[in-house]
């Protein structure tokens, strides 16, 4: 599994320019396409994390939305044709404008793809994930976790997958021990013979 | 990666990969090899040297997996080897890990629950593994031996044979144990004991994955083939 950057933009100048900035600053795989439809060619299972840099005009494009849903970790960056962009968009995680410096671009990509190992907060669970983990450790099924958190079973499964990916711990007994160590549950919460 | 051959000196196998020591020992071959070759020592200990060389090579190099070659050996030979591996796990690997884990728990400050819960996790894992081993030894292996030696005695009794699921779970948990120790414990215990423990777990994991591979990819296909011929 690897990380990569994908640039989707109709302009040759923009694609070539961003690709050059990235290649000069980070050793990362860069793929370039001129239309979002070409994203379908990408072997998604191969990449565990992606930075997708695309023209702001592809806001809410269906192919891109699917891409977000099907990639474990993804950062979607819009490219605005304005000199400065203050617009924050729900669809884009961040926006680069024509005046964004090459340092800013490289730093942003590096940080997300974890090139700066000092930034090692990637195994930090979100509050929601901690809540799901707590219920897993207490022996709840996906269905009962979904019911008590008012979310779909599908969402529970997706949280579980993220938890496992972040922690590198896959079995339920292993997750239970993790929850005890991190004080997400206390030893007395669990019936020893049943759970660990 | 080097592939061992029958005319290699046994001592050179160990120099190339000392993890082979217990594998060689499992065949009953004792140290004090002198300059004897694999073939010579196998003859001395009455071991099928083709089988021996296939086993050490597949252990040494996970990519070397002579399925066809291994499939040509008698399942009885393979069962014998698997049983010896089980014995090694039960008598040596598991108690070794357990002992170190307990030492580690004792070395952590009083009132710290971390090591206690990791120790419990391991003990539960061990229980499951021992149950799996017992199932193979008491139910599966005798069935296969019967299938070969007196097929008429087990008319129409097809045993459902698949360990992959169970092996998968067993592998997951040993990997979790490693990750818990490496990534998530507070380092308030004796570090040297923990290092030794981890080295032992890594060794055991390699051993058990190799073991599972022989069962899943060699023994089970062989038995299915025999069952289908009947």
């Amino acid at each position: 599994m690897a990380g990569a950057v994908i640039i989707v933009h109709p302009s040759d100048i923009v694609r070539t320019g961003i690709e050059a900035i990235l290649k000069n600053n980070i050793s990362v795989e860069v793929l370039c396409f001129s239309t979002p439809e070409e994203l379908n060619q990408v072997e998604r299972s191969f990449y565990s994390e992606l930075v997708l840099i695309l023209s702001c005009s592809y806001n809410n494009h269906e192919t891109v939305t699917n891409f977000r849903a099907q990639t474990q970790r993804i950062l979607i960056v819009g490219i605005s044709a304005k000199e400065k962009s203050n617009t924050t968009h729900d669809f884009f995680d961040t926006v680069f404008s024509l005046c964004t410096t090459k340092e800013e671009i490289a730093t942003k990509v590096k940080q997300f793809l974890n090139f700066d190992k000092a930034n090692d907060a990637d195994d930090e669970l979100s509050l929601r994930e901690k809540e799901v983990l707590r219920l897993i450790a207490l022996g709840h099924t996906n269905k009962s976790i979904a019911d008590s958190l008012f979310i779909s079973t599908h969402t529970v499964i997706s949280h579980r997958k993220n938890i496992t990916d972040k922690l590198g711990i896959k079995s339920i007994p292993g997750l239970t021990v993790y929850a005890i160590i991190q004080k997400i549950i206390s030893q007395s919460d669990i019936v020893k013979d049943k759970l660990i | 990666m080097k592939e061992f051959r029958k005319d290699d000196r046994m001592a050179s196998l160990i120099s190339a990969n000392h993890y082979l020591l217990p594998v060689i020992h499992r065949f009953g071959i004792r140290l004090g090899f002198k300059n004897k070759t694999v073939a010579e020592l196998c003859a001395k200990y009455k071991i099928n040297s083709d089988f021996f060389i296939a086993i050490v090579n597949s252990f040494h190099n996970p990519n070397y997996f002579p399925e066809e070659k291994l499939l040509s050996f008698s399942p009885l030979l393979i069962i014998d080897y698997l049983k010896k591996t089980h014995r090694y796990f039960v008598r040596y690997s598991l108690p070794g890990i357990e002992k170190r884990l307990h030492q580690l728990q004792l070395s952590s400050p009083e009132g710290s629950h971390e090591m206690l819960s990791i120790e419990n996790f391991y003990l539960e894992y061990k229980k499951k593994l021992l149950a799996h081993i017992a199932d193979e030894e008491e139910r599966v292996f005798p069935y296969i031996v019967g299938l070969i030696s007196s097929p008429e005695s087990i008319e129409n009794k097809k045993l459902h044979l698949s360990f992959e699921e169970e092996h998968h779970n067993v592998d997951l948990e040993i990997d979790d144990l490693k990750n818990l120790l490496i990534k998530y414990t507070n380092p308030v215990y004796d570090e040297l004991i923990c290092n030794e423990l981890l080295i032992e777990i890594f060794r055991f994991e390699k051993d058990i994955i190799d073991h599972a591979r022989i069962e899943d990819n060699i023994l089970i296909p062989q038995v299915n083939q025999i069952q289908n011929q009947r």
Side-chain angles (χ1 to χ4, degrees):
Chain A
M1 298 287 266
V5 179
I6 304 180
I7 305 168
V8 186
H9 205 283
S11 153
D12 285 342
I13 298 175
V14 172
R15 284 199 310 271
T16 318
I18 295 178
E19 186 181 11
I21 290 173
L22 292 173
K23 293 232 154 144
N24 285 336
N25 287 284
I26 337 171
S27 64
V28 65
E29 186 182 350
V30 181
L31 307 169
C32 292
F33 302 113
S34 51
T35 65
E37 284 73 23
E38 289 169 80
L39 283 172
N40 291 323
Q41 303 165 9
V42 177
E43 181 49 62
R44 253 164 287 206
S45 59
F46 186 71
Y47 300 104
S48 55
E49 40 191 27
L50 286 173
V51 176
L52 188 56
I53 303 178
L54 71 166
S55 162
C56 276
S57 60
Y58 301 138
N59 187 12
N60 277 327
H61 195 287
E62 194 190 339
T63 321
V64 181
T65 318
N66 289 339
F67 222 80
R68 189 197 283 280
Q70 291 166 8
T71 310
Q72 276 176 30
R73 274 188 84 227
I74 188 162
L75 180 78
I76 301 192
V77 185
I79 301 259
S80 154
K82 298 180 187 127
E83 286 195 356
K84 281 211 166 86
S85 170
N86 298 320
T87 50
T88 45
H89 234 296
D90 280 352
F91 187 72
F92 297 105
D93 299 311
T94 186
V95 174
F96 292 162
S97 71
L98 288 184
C99 283
T100 305
T101 63
K102 59 184 181 213
E103 287 80 15
E104 284 175 65
I105 295 178
T107 310
K108 195 90 201 170
V109 172
K110 261 192 207 171
Q111 271 176 359
F112 183 79
L113 294 178
N114 273 316
F115 277 84
D116 290 331
K117 289 298 176 197
N119 176 9
D120 62 355
D122 67 330
D123 60 354
E124 194 62 44
L125 298 183
S126 69
L127 284 175
R128 194 55 146 182
E129 284 162 354
K130 280 187 187 160
E131 186 57 18
V132 172
L133 175 61
R134 193 178 71 84
L135 295 170
I136 295 173
L138 293 175
H140 290 262
T141 61
N142 286 344
K143 177 83 178 62
S144 89
I145 296 174
D147 290 346
S148 50
L149 297 181
F150 303 104
I151 54 180
S152 72
T153 321
H154 181 77
T155 312
V156 176
I157 293 170
S158 139
H159 280 310
R160 287 183 86 130
K161 187 173 179 309
N162 288 340
I163 293 169
T164 296
D165 287 344
K166 282 188 185 176
L167 302 180
I169 296 179
K170 297 164 217 79
S171 68
I172 292 177
L175 289 169
T176 309
V177 174
Y178 174 85
I180 294 172
I181 292 177
Q182 300 295 324
K183 302 193 169 50
I184 294 170
I185 58 170
S186 75
Q187 187 104 37
S188 56
D189 283 342
I190 53 165
V191 188
K192 182 181 163 268
D193 286 345
K194 204 174 139 208
L195 288 163
I196 308 194
Chain B
M1 201 181 276
K2 185 179 159 46
E3 186 179 324
F4 299 121
R5 296 167 12 165
K6 280 192 260 181
D7 55 1
D8 285 336
R9 289 179 178 163
M10 190 68 90
S12 72
L13 268 62
I14 310 281
S15 311
N17 182 354
H18 65 272
Y19 290 110
L20 286 171
L21 271 168
V23 180
I24 293 170
H25 179 72
R26 244 168 256 163
F27 279 91
I29 301 175
R30 304 292 303 266
L31 297 179
F33 301 147
K34 304 203 174 62
N35 274 339
K36 291 206 166 72
T37 63
V38 168
E40 285 166 341
L41 281 166
C42 282
K44 181 180 165 196
Y45 285 94
K46 300 191 172 52
I47 294 160
N48 180 330
S49 56
D50 288 316
F51 183 64
F52 178 86
I53 213 76
I55 292 285
V56 292
N57 274 320
S58 76
F59 188 89
H60 178 57
N61 177 5
N63 297 322
Y64 169 91
F65 209 65
E67 308 217 352
E68 267 179 47
K69 208 172 189 180
L70 280 172
L71 282 167
S72 70
F73 297 115
S74 158
L76 300 178
L77 206 56
I78 295 170
I79 288 178
D80 184 53
Y81 174 75
L82 292 172
K83 277 188 176 168
K84 284 181 177 140
T85 318
H86 283 164
R87 223 164 299 150
Y88 180 78
F89 291 159
V90 173
R91 289 189 194 161
Y92 180 78
S93 312
L94 294 172
I97 294 174
E98 187 168 340
K99 192 177 118 205
R100 291 226 157 79
L101 205 45
H102 192 63
Q103 284 175 342
L104 196 60
Q105 196 261 108
L106 294 178
S107 81
S108 50
E110 226 172 290
S112 155
H113 292 303
E114 276 185 31
M115 280 304 159
L116 213 53
S117 50
I118 290 184
E119 198 179 9
N120 284 338
F121 170 75
Y122 172 75
L123 292 175
E124 288 304 313
Y125 164 78
K126 192 184 91 171
K127 253 191 229 168
K128 281 179 243 175
L129 184 66
L130 289 178
H132 172 67
I133 290 177
D135 178 54
E136 288 184 357
E137 299 241 341
E138 288 158 19
R139 187 178 64 101
V140 183
F141 292 169
Y143 166 80
I144 298 172
V145 172
L147 195 65
I148 292 159
S149 54
S150 51
E152 63 288 344
S153 68
I154 35 175
E155 272 314 304
N156 294 327
K157 264 199 291 172
K158 265 206 174 179
L159 199 62
H160 172 67
L161 292 174
S162 172
F163 302 133
E164 276 194 47
E165 172 83 30
E166 272 178 63
H167 285 157
H168 180 66
N169 291 338
V170 166
D171 294 348
L172 277 192
E173 291 189 18
I174 198 77
D175 193 45
D176 285 355
L177 178 60
K178 260 169 31 194
N179 277 329
L180 285 166
L181 288 167
I182 296 171
K183 292 166 74 177
Y184 299 113
T185 49
N186 284 317
V188 288
Y189 44 74
D190 187 315
E191 203 179 338
L192 292 175
I193 301 176
C194 192
N195 291 352
E196 282 177 19
L197 170 65
L198 277 167
I199 291 168
E200 200 143 328
I201 295 174
F202 273 104
R203 198 161 49 196
F204 173 65
E205 188 183 32
K206 182 169 163 41
D207 223 354
I208 201 152
I209 289 175
D210 187 71
H211 179 79
R213 211 161 44 137
I214 293 176
E215 291 185 351
D216 296 337
N217 299 352
I218 305 298
L219 187 63
I220 301 302
Q222 273 185 334
V223 173
N224 287 340
Q225 208 181 353
I226 298 173
Q227 280 182 333
N228 292 337
Q229 279 165 2
R230 296 172 65 210

